Amino acid sequence: MHKRSTQAWLLAGFLPFICLLVVAFSLNSCSWFSSVSGVSRDSKGAHSVLVTEGGSVSMLDRRTGRQIWRHQTGVTDFTPLIVNNMIYIVSGGYNPDRTDTLEALSLASGKLVWSWSWKEHWTPENPPIVVDGVIYLSESNLSASATYSPAPLSEYQGFVVALRASSPATVANGTIYVSNGEAVLALRSNDGRQLWQYRPGPNESLSYYTQLGIQVRETNVMVVQGNQLYLYLDHVEGSHSAEDLVALDIHNGQAIWRYQSHAIFGPSCCKMA
Amino acid sequence: MLPGVVALNAASGSVLWTYHTAVFFVLSQPVIVSNVLYLSEMAFDNSLRSATPDSKHTSDVLALRVTDGSVLRRYIPHSGKMFGAPMVSQHVLYLDIRLSAAKGQIPTAIVALDLETGMETWRSNQLQPFGGIDVIVSQGQIYAYSPWDYSPATLVVFQASNGNQLWNHPTNGYIYHVVADFN
């Protein structure tokens, strides 16, 4: 994967932006930034450190730095997921054969246990997430039959869900929230049945990621807390873009409130308090 | 509009409080620990072409009370220019500091400040010219690496209590992620 330069980050940083802090008083179903969750309690974790680097994934002894194992692959810059004594990574990006691959590695040995590939669009689009032991993978270039738990994944169904979608998935309370590029869809997680959809206005578009930051694609802006789903809507105000924060009712997709920022939101917004 | 922070009531969307910078600072990713929000206010030269800290304004780490947005305190390292997001762990604030250097170089160090006193407790040796450091604190160790624009990158590990370097892991390319806590 290409790296974003410091200069680019700084230039982006001079856009007018605000950090948004959503203060709430009930955090029971908070799912903010859940890319590494449901992780293993394997004892190996206490003594080792996982490093993903250009061309390989390495497990190191945290006391000495000694290499325990190394798996060579074209790993992308998505955060690796660790759950059930397995490590899940996405490799690919600029491969000659134009494929991306979800690789499942043994946490203990680094050996490839299984993999599943798909034709990439331009680059791997969205980081997979793990919720309650299930991997959710969303890419707009997955085959039409892959809208929900596609046939090619049958061997892995039950712990991998593939979604043909534009945005990263947000999963909470048995529901998957994802964008198909035109609307936010709420899908029942056990069978993919659509519960509702929310379409932005004609001059608005959905933001999938925060504007800034090195791991920009890792910061899904669709967030569930309590009975509300929060998302960003882009629109043009005069000569610049602006983002609004919208809260939807998770039961029916109806808008509850909207905060008009007249600016863009900064890195890793929102934050919970 | 100057950059800032807006706190909303999650249920109603009403604005609880706002904070805006006095001048046009670049704000870092915020972190919230024990009902305090920490973020860096970084001043840079207008051109932004050299990633050179602005000498006219002092960069600092701002600590805001989450409940009302009041400024609890500002943290400023005694030398070097702060850069990047703060990391807070175990009553210590860890910062990425730019050191003075020849043109074209951006040598870096990690500085640990006591949250209570604001005093510097240790400062790491000079690191290679990272483009910006990610700092992870885990089990008494500090993991520092740059996911930015420097290659080949090196993971450097310090003792959190005193800043002593424990080991390092050089690579042939970029470091994307370090996962130090599996549970």
Side-chain angles (χ1 to χ4, degrees):
Chain A
M1 294 297 294
H2 290 304
K3 307 293 284 193
R4 275 73 61 177
S5 70
T6 304
Q7 182 176 324
W9 181 81
L10 290 171
L11 288 168
F14 252 57
L15 295 169
F17 71 78
I18 59 173
C19 292
L20 201 62
L21 174 69
V22 178
V23 179
F25 305 100
S26 173
L27 301 177
N28 292 336
S29 58
C30 184
S31 64
W32 300 72
F33 310 115
S34 57
S35 60
V36 181
S37 63
V39 293
S40 164
R41 295 192 178 275
D42 186 284
S43 59
K44 276 205 170 300
H47 307 295
S48 50
V49 177
L50 183 73
V51 180
T52 59
E53 54 191 86
S56 66
V57 180
S58 299
M59 189 70 82
L60 309 177
D61 185 306
R62 72 158 61 227
R63 293 161 297 192
T64 64
R66 180 183 62 84
Q67 180 179 298
I68 299 170
W69 57 253
R70 180 185 182 91
H71 172 72
Q72 291 195 303
T73 187
V75 64
T76 63
D77 59 355
F78 292 147
T79 302
L81 306 176
I82 303 171
V83 61
N84 296 332
N85 295 321
M86 301 283 281
I87 301 167
Y88 299 92
I89 58 168
V90 175
S91 61
Y94 311 105
N95 277 344
D97 62 357
R98 308 288 296 174
T99 60
D100 298 322
T101 303
L102 179 65
E103 297 186 32
L105 311 179
S106 161
L107 180 67
S109 67
K111 291 193 180 338
L112 181 67
V113 178
W114 59 261
S115 65
W116 184 71
S117 298
W118 64 94
K119 284 288 180 188
E120 73 176 19
H121 187 214
W122 296 105
T123 62
E125 292 175 311
N126 299 310
I129 62 167
V130 58
V131 178
D132 296 332
V134 178
I135 308 291
Y136 294 85
L137 180 69
S138 61
E139 294 279 332
S140 63
N141 207 42
L142 290 174
S143 65
S145 62
T147 303
Y148 188 83
S149 292
L153 273 176
S154 57
E155 185 180 351
Y156 316 115
Q157 271 182 352
F159 58 96
V160 176
V161 170
L163 299 153
R164 187 187 188 198
S166 303
S167 74
T170 296
V171 181
N173 303 324
T175 305
I176 303 167
Y177 304 93
V178 73
S179 170
N180 63 2
E182 297 179 346
V184 175
L185 309 178
L187 310 174
R188 203 160 59 187
S189 62
N190 59 2
D191 60 4
R193 177 172 168 257
Q194 183 175 313
L195 302 173
W196 53 258
Q197 64 171 280
Y198 172 83
R199 285 184 177 271
N203 298 316
E204 296 175 326
S205 59
L206 292 158
S207 291
Y208 302 147
Y209 319 107
T210 55
Q211 296 286 330
L212 306 174
I214 180 69
Q215 288 145 7
V216 63
R217 292 178 301 170
E218 302 269 6
T219 48
N220 183 3
V221 299
M222 282 199 290
V223 171
V224 172
Q225 177 179 317
N227 291 321
Q228 296 185 355
L229 169 68
Y230 302 95
L231 53 91
Y232 292 175
L233 293 180
D234 279 337
H235 62 278
V236 175
E237 284 186 4
S239 60
H240 68 275
S241 293
E243 288 179 320
D244 292 348
L245 177 67
V246 177
L248 305 182
D249 187 324
I250 61 168
H251 301 109
N252 54 27
Q254 296 294 308
I256 298 172
W257 56 259
R258 172 185 289 235
Y259 173 74
Q260 296 180 298
S261 75
H262 307 294
I264 61 172
F265 297 130
S268 288
C269 296
C270 305
K271 283 285 185 180
M272 298 305 300
Chain B
M1 177 190 292
L2 291 169
V5 180
V6 179
L8 305 178
N9 180 298
S12 66
S14 61
V15 175
L16 297 175
W17 54 262
T18 62
Y19 169 85
H20 287 285
T21 58
V23 295
F24 208 116
F25 285 115
V26 174
L27 299 180
S28 73
Q29 177 173 318
V31 294
I32 299 173
V33 178
S34 301
N35 285 327
V36 178
L37 182 149
Y38 301 88
L39 81 168
S40 302
E41 295 183 316
M42 295 170 284
F44 288 91
D45 283 345
N46 288 336
S47 70
L48 285 177
R49 297 187 188 285
S50 59
T52 306
D54 181 351
S55 57
K56 295 176 186 171
H57 301 105
T58 302
S59 301
D60 59 18
V61 171
L62 184 67
L64 299 176
R65 183 181 285 121
V66 161
T67 49
D68 60 11
S70 59
V71 178
L72 293 173
R73 71 177 302 161
R74 295 175 187 273
Y75 298 90
I76 303 173
H78 71 69
S79 66
K81 296 290 185 181
M82 200 184 57
F83 188 90
M87 168 62 72
V88 176
S89 177
Q90 301 288 320
H91 310 294
V92 179
L93 174 65
Y94 299 96
L95 299 174
D96 173 4
I97 297 294
R98 287 287 178 273
L99 305 171
S100 299
K103 193 173 182 180
Q105 292 184 315
I106 322 175
T108 300
I110 296 171
V111 168
L113 304 180
D114 185 290
L115 269 187
E116 187 70 28
T117 66
M119 299 296 290
E120 187 171 311
T121 54
W122 58 259
R123 174 174 294 226
S124 76
N125 56 322
Q126 181 176 315
L127 304 174
Q128 58 178 308
F130 286 113
I133 293 179
D134 275 11
V135 175
I136 295 170
V137 186
S138 173
Q139 296 186 30
Q141 295 181 331
I142 305 290
Y143 297 81
Y145 66 102
S146 173
W148 297 87
D149 58 353
Y150 187 79
S151 181
T154 296
L155 170 64
V156 185
V157 182
F158 302 94
Q159 188 82 39
S161 57
N162 55 23
N164 289 341
Q165 184 171 324
L166 298 173
W167 52 268
N168 66 66
H169 173 69
T171 72
N172 295 320
Y174 300 119
I175 294 175
Y176 297 132
H177 288 282
V178 174
V179 183
D181 288 309
F182 298 171
N183 51 27

